């Protein structure tokens, strides 16, 4: 049977399901003319038997830059062992990955969101050049997770995703702490509420070892999404990075990709609209990161599925928030693992009729079948509640629209005590200026901090604002002020913080017209955010407004600024939204 080498299709040229394990690598290694390629592969360790095995890419975002990634090489080795045992040959390669936590609060954060697309491109580049038959992707930090999933959807070769795992919390003065506490302590120190020695003591214990940030921040949110989507093995998201079961999960992922390859199961068979709705539902139930509203639409776009902010809000309004997890709650990912992990969440939601249980997963079974086989735990009532006794009746995120955000904005409402806020604008054209204002002790209750020109194009790069939001919380004014920006927030952000405001200021969105003292109304139950200024006055301001100069040069941020789309559509780069 002749087969196509186009990675974006899952059928042969005859229209039948393509289950040839070497559906791509044959063109690299078979025949007399491929002797040069075989000679090169012999130099990296191939023997004669390896040339009849399927070649599996093992893409790991491993590096020594951050605790999120320091254990990924070890997992790549375990994946390779599983591939070898199942009859394949592993072809390991690396991708870039950066640390959001280390880049936070300075110009380096502008590289964060763009790195997602660079990661997806780099995986595609290697897989296409080498014509590998399938792949296992391994990631540990915020942008490498969605980048790997975007690559899987784009390439559409059999793929299993492996998460590196979260870190354990640190311990400070008898209570568990995470990196969130350190950022908030900086604000407390600036306000004179915490001493320098206290801050130093906290800094030294907050991150005790390997793994992604411990709470339900962005990395753990995306890991849970991957399990809900069905492209990661059941039960694989919640185990800490240092847990001995991580190596077994990686090994089993290596064997699973060979099974998927032989069965012809490809990402787009799994990444359906119903699967994405399941993923959004899990984000809402967990109180996950607002970054989910950027990354899931981008992954869906690569899979040929259109997701909008309306999908997020529709699902949020019917999904109860049932997990008491940081940043808005008390517990961390390791606690969720202790009470059953993501399968316990999925099973509770499935029993409540909130999930599509018939979605295919990478195991070849449906989501419901996987959960039945695992015999998922029941909610413990503390870390994880039942859907009929939730923390709040709606989900952890809300989408707001109005005169300040005609195309939408996103706010995390998990753990939020304020549903409505009417304040006056204090406007800053950069994050740095806002941080100086807060750190200088000038913030007062009733203000809405507006940070603009920090969107995907204007930033460029749509930097996270955790340094500012944590500083606000550290002042003790977290419940008395709001923050509105066309930038975005860390998964560790708490408080009334509205991000992803679209259209962004750099393209002339209403945020560009706000002036100090303007009334801003945020009404979460009404899903509204409005600038309470006369239309005639706004038109006069628009006549005076001029766009900021665009980045120049050939650097990747300048290219990103020219190519990136709107945050409300996933900040897609160089793509026409479906």
């Amino acid at each position: 049977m002749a087969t196509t080498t186009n990675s974006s299709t899952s059928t042969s040229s005859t229209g039948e399901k393509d289950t040839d394990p070497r559906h791509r690598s044959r063109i690299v290694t078979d025949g007399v003319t491929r002797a040069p390629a075989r000679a090169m592969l012999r130099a990296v360790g191939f023997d004669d038997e390896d040339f009849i095995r399927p070649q599996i890419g093992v893409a790991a975002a491993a590096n020594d830059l951050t605790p999120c990634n320091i254990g990924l090489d070890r997992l790549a080795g375990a994946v390779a062992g599983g591939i070898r045992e199942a009859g394949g040959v592993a072809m390991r390669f690396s991708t870039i990955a950066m640390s959001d936590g280390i880049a936070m609060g300075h110009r380096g954060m502008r590289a964060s969101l763009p790195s997602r697309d660079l990661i997806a491109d780099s995986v595609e580049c290697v897989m296409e050049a080498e014509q590998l038959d399938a792949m296992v992707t391994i990631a540990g930090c915020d942008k490498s997770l969605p980048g790997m999933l975007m690559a899987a959807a784009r390439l559409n070769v059999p793929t299993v995703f492996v998460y590196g795992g979260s870190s354990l919390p640190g311990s400070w003065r008898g209570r568990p702490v995470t990196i969130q506490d350190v950022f908030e302590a900086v604000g407390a120190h600036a306000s004179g509420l915490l001493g320098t020695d206290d801050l130093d003591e906290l800094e030294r214990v907050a991150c005790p070892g390997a793994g992604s940030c411990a709470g339900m921040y962005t990395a753990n949110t995306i890991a849970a999404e991957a399990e809900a989507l069905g492209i990661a093995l059941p039960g694989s998201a919640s185990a800490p990075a240092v847990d001995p079961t991580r190596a077994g999960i990686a090994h089993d992922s290596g064997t699973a990709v060979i099974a998927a390859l032989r069965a012809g199961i490809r990402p787009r068979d799994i990444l359906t609209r119903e699967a994405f709705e399941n993923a959004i539902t899990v984000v809402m139930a967990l109180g996950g990161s607002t970054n989910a509203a950027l990354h899931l639409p981008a992954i869906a776009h690569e899979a040929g599925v259109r997701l909008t902010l309306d999908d997020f809000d529709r699902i949020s309004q019917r999904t109860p928030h049932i997990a008491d997890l940081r940043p808005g709650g008390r517990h961390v990912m390791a606690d969720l693992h202790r009470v059953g992990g993501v399968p316990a969440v999925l099973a509770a939601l499935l029993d409540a009729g909130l999930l599509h249980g018939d979605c295919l997963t990478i195991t070849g079974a449906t989501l419901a079948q996987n959960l039945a086989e695992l015999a998922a735990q029941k909610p413990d009532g503390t870390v994880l509640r039942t859907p009929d006794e939730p923390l709040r009746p709606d989900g952890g995120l809300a989408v707001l629209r109005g005169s300040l955000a005609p195309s939408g904005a996103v706010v995390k409402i998990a753990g939020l005590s304020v549903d409505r806020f009417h304040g006056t604008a204090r406007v800053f054209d950069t994050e740095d200026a806002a941080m100086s204002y807060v750190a200088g002790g000038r913030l007062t209750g009733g203000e809405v901090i507006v940070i603009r020109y920090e969107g995907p194009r204007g930033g460029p790069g749509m930097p996270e604002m955790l340094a500012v939001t944590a500083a606000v919380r550290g002042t003790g004014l977290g419940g008395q002020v709001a923050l509105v920006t066309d930038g975005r927030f860390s998964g560790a952000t708490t408080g009334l913080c509205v991000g992803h405001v679209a259209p962004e200021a750099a393209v002339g969105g209403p945020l560009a017209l706000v002036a100090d003292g303007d009334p801003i109304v945020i009404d979460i139950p009404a899903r509204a955010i409005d600038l309470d200024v006369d239309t005639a006055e706004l038109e006069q301001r628009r006549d005076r407004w001029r766009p900021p100069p665009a980045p120049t040069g050939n650097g990747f941020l300048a290219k990103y600024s020219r190519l990136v789309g709107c945050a409300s559509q996933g900040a897609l780069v160089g793509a026409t939204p479906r």
Side-chain angles (χ1 to χ4, degrees):
M1 178 173 71
T3 59
T4 179
T5 60
N6 184 345
S7 64
S8 64
T9 182
S10 60
T11 58
S12 72
S13 58
T14 64
E16 299 175 10
K17 191 79 168 181
D18 185 357
T19 56
D20 175 13
R22 298 182 58 228
H23 63 121
R24 286 158 55 95
S25 62
R26 287 186 185 281
I27 69 167
V28 176
T29 59
D30 288 9
V32 173
T33 61
R34 300 306 184 208
R38 291 194 296 273
M40 297 288 285
L41 289 169
R42 291 183 191 279
V44 299
F46 269 55
D47 58 26
D48 288 347
E49 183 183 353
D50 289 331
F51 288 111
I52 61 173
R53 292 173 175 260
Q55 296 179 24
I56 314 300
V58 180
N63 59 43
D64 296 335
L65 294 173
T66 174
C68 312
N69 300 329
I70 57 174
L72 302 190
D73 268 339
R74 176 178 59 86
L75 295 184
V79 168
I83 290 169
R84 170 64 67 171
E85 286 182 21
V89 57
M91 307 291 286
R92 293 172 58 174
F93 64 95
S94 298
T95 72
I96 65 160
M98 54 157 289
S99 170
D100 280 24
I102 297 172
M104 195 74 67
H106 57 81
R107 61 184 292 179
M109 179 46 68
R110 303 189 187 287
S112 171
L113 184 58
S115 76
R116 178 194 74 179
D117 299 84
L118 290 174
I119 290 164
D121 290 349
S122 68
V123 172
E124 177 193 13
C125 181
V126 173
M127 291 293 295
E128 282 298 285
E130 304 300 321
Q131 286 293 293
L132 304 178
D133 297 300
M135 66 178 181
V136 177
T137 61
I138 310 170
C141 58
D142 292 8
K143 304 310 170 296
S144 55
L145 276 81
M148 294 293 193
L149 294 171
M150 288 169 67
R154 184 186 303 171
L155 286 158
N156 203 33
V157 299
T159 301
V160 179
F161 173 79
V162 179
Y163 179 42
S166 68
S167 69
L168 296 173
S171 179
W172 185 62
R173 299 180 180 177
R175 68 180 178 90
V177 291
T178 71
I179 193 67
Q180 174 190 348
D181 296 278
V182 184
F183 276 102
E184 291 175 1
V186 171
H189 179 268
S191 301
L193 301 176
L194 189 73
T196 301
D197 290 344
D198 299 316
L199 178 59
D200 178 73
E201 181 185 332
L202 174 60
E203 170 196 326
R204 294 176 184 277
V205 298
C207 299
S212 303
C213 299
M216 188 46 61
Y217 310 145
T218 300
N220 282 325
T221 298
I222 306 299
E225 289 172 7
E227 192 173 324
L229 285 168
I231 200 166
L233 291 185
S236 64
S238 63
V242 297
D243 193 302
T245 61
R246 274 280 154 214
I249 291 168
H251 176 277
D252 293 348
S253 297
T255 61
V257 78
I258 297 294
L261 178 61
R262 294 199 163 126
I265 299 173
R266 304 203 183 193
R268 294 187 196 174
D269 300 326
I270 297 168
L271 302 177
T272 62
R273 162 161 280 281
E274 291 75 18
F276 282 105
E277 290 186 349
N278 286 346
I280 296 172
T281 301
V282 167
V283 171
M284 298 306 170
L286 290 172
S289 170
T290 52
N291 283 307
L294 281 174
H295 301 320
L296 279 173
I299 299 163
H301 176 84
E302 300 291 357
V305 175
R306 185 172 183 268
L307 284 186
T308 70
L309 291 183
D310 290 338
D311 293 313
F312 281 80
D313 203 56
R314 169 178 57 83
I315 292 171
S316 178
Q317 295 202 50
R318 67 169 175 78
T319 305
H321 174 210
I322 59 175
D324 186 11
L325 299 171
R326 300 196 71 177
R330 297 174 293 169
H331 303 286
V332 296
M333 191 65 153
D335 296 318
L336 182 64
H337 180 64
R338 175 174 49 81
V339 300
V342 174
V345 180
L346 291 169
L349 295 171
L350 183 65
D351 289 346
L354 296 169
L355 293 181
H356 303 284
D358 57 351
C359 289
L360 178 69
T361 73
I362 194 62
T363 67
T366 66
L367 178 69
Q369 289 168 337
N370 286 339
L371 293 173
E373 183 175 344
L374 282 174
Q377 292 178 224
K378 298 293 185 182
D380 72 312
T382 301
V383 179
L384 185 65
R385 302 215 190 163
T386 58
D388 58 352
E389 294 184 344
L391 292 160
R392 60 179 295 152
D394 52 357
L397 304 181
V399 175
L400 311 181
R401 297 182 189 273
S403 60
L404 194 55
S407 297
V410 181
V411 59
K412 178 181 281 191
I413 56 177
L416 194 62
S417 60
V418 179
D419 275 351
R420 294 178 176 86
F421 192 89
H422 188 166
T424 56
R426 180 68 65 182
V427 183
F428 304 93
D429 289 348
T430 67
E431 178 190 6
D432 289 345
M435 185 64 179
S436 296
Y437 179 77
V438 174
R442 289 173 284 171
L443 183 65
T444 60
E447 291 186 327
V448 179
I449 303 168
V450 174
I451 307 177
R452 61 190 179 192
Y453 301 115
E454 297 285 19
R457 183 171 296 182
M462 202 180 182
E464 290 182 353
M465 306 288 179
L466 178 58
V468 177
T469 61
V472 170
R473 183 175 173 86
T475 66
L477 293 171
Q480 302 174 50
V481 299
L483 192 152
V484 175
T485 181
D486 50 9
R488 60 194 178 92
F489 299 118
S490 164
T493 289
T494 58
L496 183 51
C497 300
V498 182
H500 307 198
V501 171
E504 63 176 290
V507 300
L511 204 65
L513 307 180
V514 182
D516 282 344
D518 284 350
I520 292 176
V521 180
I522 301 169
D523 189 333
I524 292 171
R527 296 304 200 253
I529 181 167
D530 289 297
L531 179 63
D532 192 10
V533 175
D534 183 74
T535 302
E537 168 64 19
L538 290 177
E539 287 304 315
Q540 291 178 14
R541 294 181 190 179
R542 184 169 294 285
D543 289 341
R544 297 191 299 268
W545 179 80
R546 297 294 180 269
T552 59
N554 294 319
F556 83 99
L557 283 177
K559 296 174 186 175
Y560 183 86
S561 180
R562 292 193 292 269
L563 294 172
V564 71
C566 185
S568 65
Q569 298 163 340
L572 295 164
V573 174
T576 301
R578 290 182 170 90

